[in-house]
mmCIF file of all heavy atoms in Angstrom:
data_model
loop_
_atom_site.group_PDB
_atom_site.id
_atom_site.type_symbol
_atom_site.label_atom_id
_atom_site.label_comp_id
_atom_site.label_asym_id
_atom_site.label_seq_id
_atom_site.Cartn_x
_atom_site.Cartn_y
_atom_site.Cartn_z
ATOM 1 N N LEU Z 848 134.864 101.396 176.872
ATOM 2 C CA LEU Z 848 133.965 102.278 177.624
ATOM 3 C C LEU Z 848 134.168 102.144 179.117
ATOM 4 O O LEU Z 848 134.120 103.134 179.863
ATOM 5 C CB LEU Z 848 132.496 101.972 177.252
ATOM 6 C CG LEU Z 848 132.104 102.196 175.787
ATOM 7 C CD1 LEU Z 848 130.658 101.724 175.547
ATOM 8 C CD2 LEU Z 848 132.225 103.688 175.430
ATOM 9 N N LEU Z 849 134.421 100.896 179.573
ATOM 10 C CA LEU Z 849 134.674 100.667 181.004
ATOM 11 C C LEU Z 849 136.001 101.303 181.426
ATOM 12 O O LEU Z 849 136.130 101.813 182.552
ATOM 13 C CB LEU Z 849 134.679 99.176 181.313
ATOM 14 C CG LEU Z 849 133.334 98.428 181.078
ATOM 15 C CD1 LEU Z 849 133.448 96.997 181.542
ATOM 16 C CD2 LEU Z 849 132.192 99.130 181.781
ATOM 17 N N THR Z 850 136.970 101.256 180.537
ATOM 18 C CA THR Z 850 138.253 101.879 180.846
ATOM 19 C C THR Z 850 138.077 103.371 181.060
ATOM 20 O O THR Z 850 138.618 103.959 182.010
ATOM 21 C CB THR Z 850 139.265 101.607 179.710
ATOM 22 O OG1 THR Z 850 139.411 100.203 179.543
ATOM 23 C CG2 THR Z 850 140.617 102.233 180.033
ATOM 24 N N GLN Z 851 137.314 104.014 180.218
ATOM 25 C CA GLN Z 851 137.041 105.454 180.361
ATOM 26 C C GLN Z 851 136.249 105.738 181.629
ATOM 27 O O GLN Z 851 136.475 106.734 182.324
ATOM 28 C CB GLN Z 851 136.292 105.970 179.119
ATOM 29 C CG GLN Z 851 137.102 105.878 177.838
ATOM 30 C CD GLN Z 851 136.290 106.264 176.610
ATOM 31 O OE1 GLN Z 851 135.174 106.750 176.743
ATOM 32 N NE2 GLN Z 851 136.881 106.044 175.442
ATOM 33 N N ARG Z 852 135.321 104.795 181.937
ATOM 34 C CA ARG Z 852 134.536 104.947 183.173
ATOM 35 C C ARG Z 852 135.435 104.899 184.393
ATOM 36 O O ARG Z 852 135.315 105.706 185.332
ATOM 37 C CB ARG Z 852 133.486 103.824 183.224
ATOM 38 C CG ARG Z 852 132.606 103.843 184.477
ATOM 39 C CD ARG Z 852 132.007 102.487 184.722
ATOM 40 N NE ARG Z 852 133.055 101.487 185.044
ATOM 41 C CZ ARG Z 852 132.821 100.212 185.333
ATOM 42 N NH1 ARG Z 852 131.582 99.738 185.281
ATOM 43 N NH2 ARG Z 852 133.823 99.385 185.615
ATOM 44 N N ASP Z 853 136.338 103.957 184.396
ATOM 45 C CA ASP Z 853 137.231 103.797 185.558
ATOM 46 C C ASP Z 853 138.092 105.026 185.757
ATOM 47 O O ASP Z 853 138.377 105.426 186.905
ATOM 48 C CB ASP Z 853 138.103 102.557 185.381
ATOM 49 C CG ASP Z 853 137.276 101.258 185.420
ATOM 50 O OD1 ASP Z 853 136.138 101.322 185.893
ATOM 51 O OD2 ASP Z 853 137.797 100.221 184.953
ATOM 52 N N LYS Z 854 138.519 105.657 184.688
ATOM 53 C CA LYS Z 854 139.333 106.866 184.814
ATOM 54 C C LYS Z 854 138.561 107.981 185.505
ATOM 55 O O LYS Z 854 139.111 108.740 186.321
ATOM 56 C CB LYS Z 854 139.802 107.330 183.424
ATOM 57 C CG LYS Z 854 140.841 106.410 182.802
ATOM 58 C CD LYS Z 854 141.236 106.927 181.421
ATOM 59 C CE LYS Z 854 142.289 106.013 180.779
ATOM 60 N NZ LYS Z 854 142.682 106.495 179.434
ATOM 61 N N GLN Z 855 137.254 108.091 185.182
ATOM 62 C CA GLN Z 855 136.438 109.114 185.828
ATOM 63 C C GLN Z 855 136.211 108.784 187.321
ATOM 64 O O GLN Z 855 136.201 109.662 188.175
ATOM 65 C CB GLN Z 855 135.093 109.243 185.100
ATOM 66 C CG GLN Z 855 135.212 109.911 183.742
ATOM 67 C CD GLN Z 855 133.864 110.053 183.066
ATOM 68 O OE1 GLN Z 855 133.074 109.101 183.068
ATOM 69 N NE2 GLN Z 855 133.598 111.230 182.510
ATOM 70 N N LEU Z 856 135.989 107.448 187.584
ATOM 71 C CA LEU Z 856 135.745 107.069 188.972
ATOM 72 C C LEU Z 856 136.960 107.337 189.845
ATOM 73 O O LEU Z 856 136.844 107.739 191.020
ATOM 74 C CB LEU Z 856 135.390 105.569 189.034
ATOM 75 C CG LEU Z 856 134.020 105.190 188.454
ATOM 76 C CD1 LEU Z 856 133.852 103.688 188.442
ATOM 77 C CD2 LEU Z 856 132.872 105.834 189.238
ATOM 78 N N ILE Z 857 138.152 107.086 189.334
ATOM 79 C CA ILE Z 857 139.372 107.324 190.095
ATOM 80 C C ILE Z 857 139.465 108.794 190.479
ATOM 81 O O ILE Z 857 139.971 109.154 191.553
ATOM 82 C CB ILE Z 857 140.602 106.882 189.266
ATOM 83 C CG1 ILE Z 857 140.625 105.364 189.138
ATOM 84 C CG2 ILE Z 857 141.921 107.387 189.880
ATOM 85 C CD1 ILE Z 857 141.682 104.848 188.201
ATOM 86 N N GLN Z 858 138.910 109.653 189.615
ATOM 87 C CA GLN Z 858 138.938 111.092 189.896
ATOM 88 C C GLN Z 858 137.793 111.491 190.813
ATOM 89 O O GLN Z 858 137.588 112.678 191.096
ATOM 90 C CB GLN Z 858 138.857 111.878 188.576
ATOM 91 C CG GLN Z 858 140.046 111.654 187.672
ATOM 92 C CD GLN Z 858 139.889 112.353 186.340
ATOM 93 O OE1 GLN Z 858 138.949 113.109 186.136
ATOM 94 N NE2 GLN Z 858 140.856 112.106 185.451
ATOM 95 N N GLY Z 859 136.956 110.481 191.213
ATOM 96 C CA GLY Z 859 135.867 110.759 192.119
ATOM 97 C C GLY Z 859 134.635 111.296 191.433
ATOM 98 O O GLY Z 859 133.798 111.926 192.069
ATOM 99 N N ILE Z 860 134.504 111.030 190.145
ATOM 100 C CA ILE Z 860 133.392 111.553 189.358
ATOM 101 C C ILE Z 860 132.416 110.429 189.072
ATOM 102 O O ILE Z 860 132.803 109.348 188.586
ATOM 103 C CB ILE Z 860 133.890 112.159 188.037
ATOM 104 C CG1 ILE Z 860 134.892 113.303 188.321
ATOM 105 C CG2 ILE Z 860 132.728 112.670 187.216
ATOM 106 C CD1 ILE Z 860 135.561 113.831 187.084
#
Side-chain angles (χ1 to χ4, degrees):
L848 297 175
L849 296 186
T850 302
Q851 295 175 8
R852 179 202 65 180
D853 293 343
K854 289 179 180 180
Q855 288 181 315
L856 290 174
I857 291 172
Q858 296 175 7
I860 301 173

